Amino acid sequence: ANFSNYQDRKEIFIEGQKEYEDELIRLALNETMRKQNIVSLEARICPKNSAAKLYQSITKSQNIAKSETKAEEKVIYVLHFPKKKDQAFSAGTPRNQNVRMASFRQARSIAALLEKETDINEKIRGIDACSSEIACRPEAFGQVFRYLLDLEFPCKKGGMKTKLHATYHAGEDFLDIADGLRAIDEAIEFCGLERGSRIGHALALGISPWDYYKYKGCKLTLPKQVLLDDLAWILAKADETGCIIENQLRAELKERFYHLYEEIYGEHVSTKNKVSVWDYYQSWKLRGDQPAFYRLEEEEFLKQLTRKQIQRFDRYGWNHKAGSHIRKTECARNLYFAYHYNQNVRLTGDEKTEWKMDQRYADLIYQLQEKMIQKLVQEGIGIETNPSSNYLIGTIQKYDEHPILRFNSRKLKDVPKNMSLHVSMNTDDQGVFDTLLENEYALMAMALKKAKDENYQPLYDIEDIYEWIDYVRKMGVEQVFV
């Protein structure tokens, strides 16, 4: 929260002051190029509500970059969709409608600009979702991301057509590690991420569950809806991936799930049979869909499943990773509708509850982390890591505890097959953290040099450290959106 507040207010004092606005861009682009051996600089700009304004914004940055160091040749742009808190419940309005509508307008402006075949087409390489993820799940961006990632547009180089790439920042802010893991899974399942896409931060994927829960006093406070979703995801995902759950723990997790379900949904969802964990998990898979579809009567809803939408954007209202057989299940549809449109469900779900965990729960979470790492490896999705940012606003105590070492420690030690993620090292926000990319590499190298084993001997060979640093550097270059 502190980081989000700082990030949101850091530019307030320059609004309307052209000289300061230009200086901010100059520092971000030219100073970075002047001080570091950069081969490609990814500049992130929030989309505008019209193609003309977006074109002006990028052109302005290009001209400032060109004025001193000719840095414009190395600058590429990723369009930055900010996550925002949901508004209060309003009848007939789904969750995060404010974000859905804003991102829809911005997506239309992006598409309109790219279709104009301007000289900056080759500079626009991707999209991402930024800012605090708590209270704004990946489902809010699902349709927009699927739409933009499937958009083919002409690139100036050779007149060839290309597509955008994607980063989704997930697993950085979370109320429980399971919540962060679920957010990463939602980004992949709902937003159309595929090979070559990136997850930003992903701390929940790599931090030690035992250390995290010890740091939290083995007790968390979180909204009932979040805990219910997490429990369903944990139980179903563990069974899907072959995780081992101790019998008593399974019984305790199920008991808490059913208690929360009855409290939040029990009186508001009519079903022929008792809703199981699996039923609820199946309805969760539909959250990448456009909520408006679920307000239709059953007959019209089923027709929409096979109807070819006239508007291009509307064609991406269905998330095709979730099978149509789930949508044809009345229980799943009713749960989805209540999740978005029932006021009592929303209000009860927002109430806070306490959640206690122990060694058994931490063991299970570790297994789920391992399975999620395997999933990302197999799907070819990389991780953007940010050492200083994660150390300062996360729960890691030392740089040699950073999850990047769990994500990929080849060159440093032997690792199991299919457990090494494609990683890069980044600055996150230089203006907030007052760092440089070279500094991030130096911090990790120093931390590895100082790391000791149980006998207080150096944990890593010095040559292996430098080989690992260069290995990560090369992966960072490979992650550049082209």
Side-chain angles (χ1 to χ4, degrees):
N2 290 338
F3 172 67
S4 295
N5 291 337
Y6 191 98
Q7 177 179 260
D8 293 343
R9 70 173 181 256
K10 68 182 180 182
E11 296 178 19
I12 292 175
F13 75 100
I14 67 168
E15 289 180 357
Q17 306 291 328
K18 184 179 184 303
E19 294 80 6
Y20 288 134
E21 289 176 357
D22 291 353
E23 179 67 5
L24 183 71
I25 297 171
R26 189 191 72 76
L27 286 169
L29 300 180
N30 293 346
E31 288 301 302
T32 296
M33 289 296 186
R34 182 180 291 113
K35 293 179 179 178
Q36 301 178 92
N37 184 28
I38 299 293
V39 298
S40 176
L41 180 66
E42 187 172 293
R44 294 177 173 176
I45 293 179
C46 286
K48 311 303 178 185
N49 287 331
S50 74
K53 289 182 179 179
L54 180 57
Y55 179 83
Q56 291 170 4
S57 179
I58 295 177
T59 301
K60 176 181 177 180
S61 295
Q62 285 291 99
N63 291 337
I64 292 173
K66 185 178 182 179
S67 64
E68 293 185 22
T69 61
K70 295 185 178 180
E72 87 283 0
E73 296 175 4
K74 296 181 178 181
V75 177
I76 61 176
Y77 295 90
V78 169
L79 301 169
H80 217 38
F81 289 90
K83 309 183 189 90
K84 296 179 181 178
K85 289 183 179 179
D86 199 2
Q87 295 175 333
F89 176 84
S90 177
T93 301
R95 294 172 188 262
N96 297 111
Q97 182 70 349
N98 56 331
V99 173
R100 294 175 191 273
M101 294 306 297
S103 59
F104 166 69
R105 290 190 294 268
Q106 293 163 343
R108 292 292 294 268
S109 73
I110 293 169
L113 175 59
L114 295 176
E115 289 168 357
K116 290 180 183 295
E117 301 186 39
T118 68
D119 55 339
I120 63 170
N121 270 24
E122 63 180 306
K123 290 292 184 180
I124 301 175
R125 302 289 177 82
I127 55 176
D128 84 346
C130 62
S131 300
S132 173
E133 63 191 286
I134 293 176
C136 188
R137 308 294 302 190
E139 64 194 52
F141 296 97
Q143 186 174 1
V144 160
F145 267 57
R146 295 193 299 270
Y147 165 64
L148 289 174
L149 293 178
D150 197 42
L151 184 69
E152 288 191 344
F153 61 94
C155 181
K156 189 177 179 181
K157 291 182 179 178
M160 298 290 290
K161 287 198 171 185
T162 187
K163 288 186 176 184
L164 295 170
H165 304 275
T167 295
Y168 198 101
H169 291 82
E172 178 191 16
D173 301 327
F174 44 86
L175 301 169
D176 181 10
I177 294 177
D179 189 45
L181 292 175
R182 180 165 63 89
I184 293 169
D185 202 22
E186 289 172 345
I188 297 168
E189 296 300 319
F190 300 163
C191 295
L193 303 192
E194 55 187 21
R195 186 167 296 276
S197 298
R198 307 185 304 223
I199 296 290
H201 299 281
L203 286 177
L205 192 64
I207 61 173
S208 164
W210 304 283
D211 292 344
Y212 177 81
Y213 293 128
K214 182 180 178 181
Y215 177 80
K216 296 288 186 180
C218 294
K219 183 168 61 177
L220 301 171
T221 301
L222 63 171
K224 293 176 180 178
Q225 178 69 61
V226 172
L227 180 55
L228 177 67
D229 292 344
D230 289 347
L231 291 171
W233 185 87
I234 289 168
L235 288 162
K237 190 64 67 174
D239 288 341
E240 275 189 343
T241 57
C243 294
I244 299 171
I245 308 179
E246 191 263 341
N247 288 336
Q248 183 60 34
L249 176 61
R250 181 187 290 274
E252 291 170 10
L253 295 178
K254 280 190 171 183
E255 181 181 7
R256 189 64 186 274
F257 168 84
Y258 285 118
H259 175 79
L260 285 168
Y261 176 82
E262 287 301 321
E263 199 173 348
I264 300 171
Y265 289 89
E267 297 180 2
H268 311 295
V269 177
S270 58
T271 57
K272 296 177 181 178
N273 303 305
K274 182 180 178 181
V275 172
S276 68
V277 172
W278 185 253
D279 293 330
Y280 191 89
Y281 177 67
Q282 294 297 93
S283 77
W284 166 82
K285 290 181 179 179
L286 302 180
R287 292 189 187 173
D289 289 349
Q290 165 59 256
F293 289 148
Y294 290 80
R295 299 190 66 199
L296 300 172
E297 295 295 331
E298 182 177 4
E299 184 178 349
E300 182 61 25
F301 177 88
L302 295 175
K303 285 182 181 178
Q304 285 286 349
L305 287 175
T306 56
R307 181 175 294 165
K308 186 174 181 180
Q309 305 296 328
I310 297 174
Q311 296 287 336
R312 178 178 173 84
F313 181 75
D314 292 339
R315 298 174 200 168
Y316 298 89
W318 300 114
N319 175 27
H320 294 298
K321 282 195 174 184
S324 290
H325 67 283
I326 303 175
R327 299 185 183 96
K328 293 176 181 178
T329 305
E330 185 179 12
C331 175
R333 293 199 308 272
N334 290 344
L335 283 168
Y336 182 100
F337 180 86
Y339 170 76
H340 277 290
Y341 296 110
N342 188 293
Q343 183 175 14
N344 291 317
V345 166
R346 294 272 296 270
L347 292 176
T348 306
D350 287 342
E351 294 174 0
K352 300 296 191 297
T353 188
E354 192 175 88
W355 177 233
K356 296 180 181 179
M357 60 286 304
D358 55 21
Q359 175 80 25
R360 300 169 305 157
Y361 183 77
D363 292 344
L364 175 57
I365 294 299
Y366 183 83
Q367 290 183 71
L368 287 166
Q369 287 177 319
E370 294 285 278
K371 297 298 183 181
M372 286 293 293
I373 288 173
Q374 289 176 359
K375 176 177 180 174
L376 267 67
V377 169
Q378 291 164 2
E379 298 198 11
I381 295 174
I383 305 290
E384 296 178 2
T385 71
N386 305 272
S388 288
S389 167
N390 301 149
Y391 171 77
L392 291 168
I393 65 175
T395 57
I396 57 174
Q397 304 298 306
K398 298 187 296 182
Y399 280 89
D400 63 357
E401 296 174 355
H402 194 280
I404 190 174
L405 297 169
R406 183 173 173 191
F407 295 155
N408 194 323
S409 55
R410 280 181 177 169
K411 314 300 181 182
L412 291 172
K413 60 183 180 181
D414 293 333
V415 295
K417 293 180 180 178
N418 297 315
M419 289 299 292
S420 295
L421 286 161
H422 201 279
V423 298
S424 60
M425 211 178 297
N426 307 275
T427 58
D428 194 4
D429 191 318
Q430 291 183 169
V432 171
F433 298 108
D434 191 24
T435 189
L436 299 172
L437 188 57
E438 292 173 349
N439 190 51
E440 299 300 298
Y441 281 96
L443 285 166
M444 288 304 301
M446 183 62 69
L448 294 175
K449 287 180 184 180
K450 290 183 175 181
K452 299 290 191 296
D453 62 18
E454 61 274 12
N455 298 316
Y456 299 98
Q457 296 301 308
L459 189 58
Y460 303 107
D461 182 88
I462 187 67
E463 292 301 322
D464 291 342
I465 293 172
Y466 287 125
E467 191 172 354
W468 179 81
I469 288 288
D470 197 49
Y471 172 53
V472 173
R473 179 192 64 80
K474 290 175 180 177
M475 283 191 284
V477 174
E478 290 170 359
Q479 281 192 9
V480 171
F481 289 157
V482 295

